[in-house]
Amino acid sequence: MNPADLHAVRGEILHFLADPASHGEAAIEHFADGLLLIRDGHVAETGPAGELLARLPADVPVTDYRGKLILPGFVDTHIHYAQTDIIASHGEQLLAWLEKYTFPAEARFADPEHARAVAEFFCDELLRNGTTTALAFATVHATSVDALFEAALKRRMRMITGKVMMDRHCPDFLRDTAAGGYAESQALIERWHGRERLQYAVTPRFAATSTPEQMRLAGRLYAEHPGLYLQSHVAENRGEVAWVAKLYPEARSYLDVYDRFGQLGMRSVYAHCIWLDDTDRRRMADTGAAVSFCPTSNLFLGSGLFDFGRARELGLRVGIGTDVGAGTSFSMLQTLNEAYKVLQLGGQKLSAASAFHLATLGGAHSLYLDERIGNFLPGKEADFVVLDPAATPLLARRMQGAQTLDERLFVLMMLGDDRSIAATHVLGRVAWQRPG
Ligand code: GUN
Ligand code: ZN
């Protein structure tokens, strides 16, 4: 062991060993005064600080985060980096919003310099919000993928992205072709997939903007390379659902379109999943496909309420996504806040434990990354976020009245945002730190 590679952080530590919805208290490990020991960017050990410090060599550097809460880095399972600059665009629902705001914004990514600048800002903004892993859409331009992978590589972040495949029902300047989209994706896979912490996602935008031929080739690509992801959108908006039914009259449902083209399986991730029936949900569960629940986006675009309870009952993998720029915040805390409200509107209750599980181990599990990230078991990659439970006067005041861990976590997710992030560590090292 090289002692130079060994360091630790001390503070209140919380992580999940399993899903609290099924495992209750046993799912949560909590050390009021804990130590997270890191070797070569990976978790070596976690436990009570007193116990660990007593047997560690005295010269192991320890960063003191006492008074702060240390959690595994957040996992954002659905976000569009190219929509960073159109977050908070007024007045439209999905299809008009795409035409009016999204497509013009994405057109600008034909310029690699613009892509590079946005990718830099985007990765910094993720880290500023405690997010260390993301599954992100790029644009139709191959260079937009290069830009995001390069920005993530520089920061050593876990990033999964892919070139949007879109060969119909979009402006000419954003359209690829079935064969061209396949070949460009193939080249990007060879360039990036599996390099450091980067992985590639085959990215047909949604069934409406791909011809059946492009859908077939996307399914083929996903099957051709081991470990690839596939990301898309499904059943977000009722107008969209009706349109897809017209475009693919042979399909039983919107989800069935993807199924017919071999696009459901492990590491396939579908944003929204609002207007599904139980046949669809069962099919997702059976194939190992995952849902990305995007509450701020679903409320902002007036899309509908995701049925989290039913998805869980039927055993689907569910992660949470900000879906910026239809989503209204990069903050996972704010996203959990809105998730809570979406469930309230559906007569369901999201516990604070389930919410933070969703943002960490649950998200990792939905992406089949729970062997590598999501909690602090030995060997995991040491990505973590340091939360300040008293970041604002209101948080500090409300926290004083919080009795239990559950209550404190709930206050944090309801009142917290980027101001609550004191630091974000990637592979053990500080990747972002709040000034001051
Ligand atoms: N469906 C197809 N494209 C998009 C997109 O960019 N954002 C959202 N929210 N839904 C979509
Ligand atoms: Zn999206």
Side-chain angles (χ1 to χ4, degrees):
M1 181 180 72
N2 175 359
D5 291 325
L6 196 64
H7 63 109
V9 294
R10 180 176 187 176
E12 182 176 355
I13 295 176
L14 177 83
H15 68 142
F16 295 89
L17 305 172
D19 186 344
S22 45
H23 291 74
E25 292 285 304
I28 306 172
E29 192 165 56
H30 176 232
F31 303 104
D33 180 11
L35 198 83
L36 174 61
L37 186 66
I38 299 145
R39 182 184 296 119
D40 290 329
H42 292 70
V43 177
E45 207 177 336
T46 315
E51 202 176 289
L52 263 70
L53 286 170
R55 57 183 165 78
L56 277 177
D59 61 352
V60 172
V62 179
T63 306
D64 193 348
Y65 285 130
R66 273 178 288 181
K68 308 275 193 301
L69 183 62
I70 301 168
L71 287 176
F74 297 138
V75 180
D76 189 338
T77 66
H78 185 76
I79 187 164
H80 299 251
Y81 99 87
Q83 295 173 14
T84 299
D85 291 333
I86 53 148
I87 190 169
S89 292
H90 175 261
E92 304 297 345
Q93 294 213 350
L94 176 64
L95 299 175
W97 174 86
L98 284 172
E99 292 287 341
K100 184 170 172 182
Y101 299 114
T102 313
F103 292 152
E106 294 191 9
R108 298 185 62 197
F109 287 73
D111 171 8
E113 186 47 40
H114 177 71
R116 196 199 58 75
V118 177
E120 291 284 316
F121 178 90
F122 173 82
C123 288
D124 286 342
E125 192 63 14
L126 289 178
L127 294 171
R128 232 172 53 72
N129 281 281
T131 298
T132 51
T133 293
L135 171 58
F137 267 59
T139 68
V140 74
H141 314 94
T143 50
S144 77
V145 175
D146 293 330
L148 183 55
F149 275 141
E150 277 159 16
L153 187 64
K154 244 177 33 189
R155 293 163 179 78
R156 305 197 305 162
M157 295 169 75
R158 243 189 200 288
M159 184 62 70
I160 311 163
T161 189
K163 184 201 106 69
V164 168
M165 302 171 87
M166 176 156 73
D167 69 343
R168 65 167 166 172
H169 299 138
C170 62
D172 295 346
F173 51 79
L174 284 178
R175 193 172 305 156
D176 63 3
T177 61
Y182 176 86
E184 283 191 309
S185 303
Q186 180 93 271
L188 287 164
I189 291 163
E190 280 160 27
R191 192 167 333 142
W192 291 107
H193 184 58
R195 192 165 153 193
E196 305 283 331
R197 305 179 83 198
L198 311 175
Q199 290 168 292
Y200 192 85
V202 177
T203 307
R205 179 172 213 118
F206 68 142
T209 48
S210 287
T211 58
E213 176 60 6
Q214 181 163 69
M215 291 290 277
R216 188 181 71 76
L217 289 174
R220 188 167 124 189
L221 201 52
Y222 170 54
E224 272 171 355
H225 299 264
L228 276 188
Y229 286 79
L230 183 141
Q231 59 179 344
S232 195
H233 300 89
V234 73
E236 175 177 7
N237 165 288
R238 279 188 278 201
E240 170 214 18
V241 174
W243 187 27
V244 170
K246 272 203 192 122
L247 294 172
Y248 297 91
E250 68 286 359
R252 191 201 69 83
S253 67
Y254 188 167
L255 184 84
D256 186 48
V257 175
Y258 296 108
D259 202 359
R260 285 162 176 260
F261 290 108
Q263 296 182 23
L264 295 186
M266 286 165 63
R267 295 175 310 281
S268 72
V269 181
Y270 287 88
H272 311 302
C273 300
I274 295 168
W275 307 103
L276 297 184
D277 61 17
D278 277 354
T279 305
D280 291 328
R281 293 189 186 98
R282 288 200 174 92
R283 187 66 189 144
M284 288 188 78
D286 288 348
T287 56
V291 178
S292 179
F293 170 28
C294 303
T296 74
S297 165
N298 297 160
L299 295 173
F300 181 74
L301 292 180
S303 302
L305 304 174
F306 173 63
D307 192 342
F308 184 74
R310 192 64 185 148
R312 300 297 297 269
E313 276 165 23
L314 294 180
L316 271 81
R317 289 176 188 252
V318 181
I320 194 155
T322 58
D323 194 26
V324 166
T328 52
S329 178
F330 277 81
S331 168
M332 197 51 77
L333 299 174
Q334 281 300 293
T335 306
L336 298 178
N337 166 324
E338 305 257 304
Y340 176 80
K341 294 170 189 168
V342 166
L343 266 71
Q344 279 282 46
L345 286 164
Q348 300 174 16
K349 283 193 174 76
L350 181 65
S351 71
S354 280
F356 279 94
H357 172 263
L358 205 52
T360 58
L361 186 64
H365 179 255
S366 79
L367 300 181
Y368 293 82
L369 286 174
D370 47 322
E371 296 284 302
R372 299 181 179 195
I373 56 166
N375 65 14
F376 295 138
L377 288 181
K380 294 283 180 92
E381 296 163 359
D383 289 347
F384 55 92
V385 54
V386 182
L387 292 152
D388 179 356
T392 69
L394 181 62
L395 259 168
R397 187 177 178 91
R398 177 64 182 86
M399 273 304 170
Q400 282 172 1
Q403 310 293 331
T404 62
L405 177 62
D406 255 353
E407 209 179 329
R408 288 168 58 226
L409 289 174
F410 188 62
V411 169
L412 194 58
M413 73 186 234
M414 297 312 293
L415 301 182
D417 54 30
D418 55 339
R419 294 169 296 179
S420 309
I421 311 301
T424 305
H425 288 236
V426 170
L427 294 175
R429 299 293 173 191
V430 176
W432 185 83
Q433 191 149 37
R434 193 172 58 188

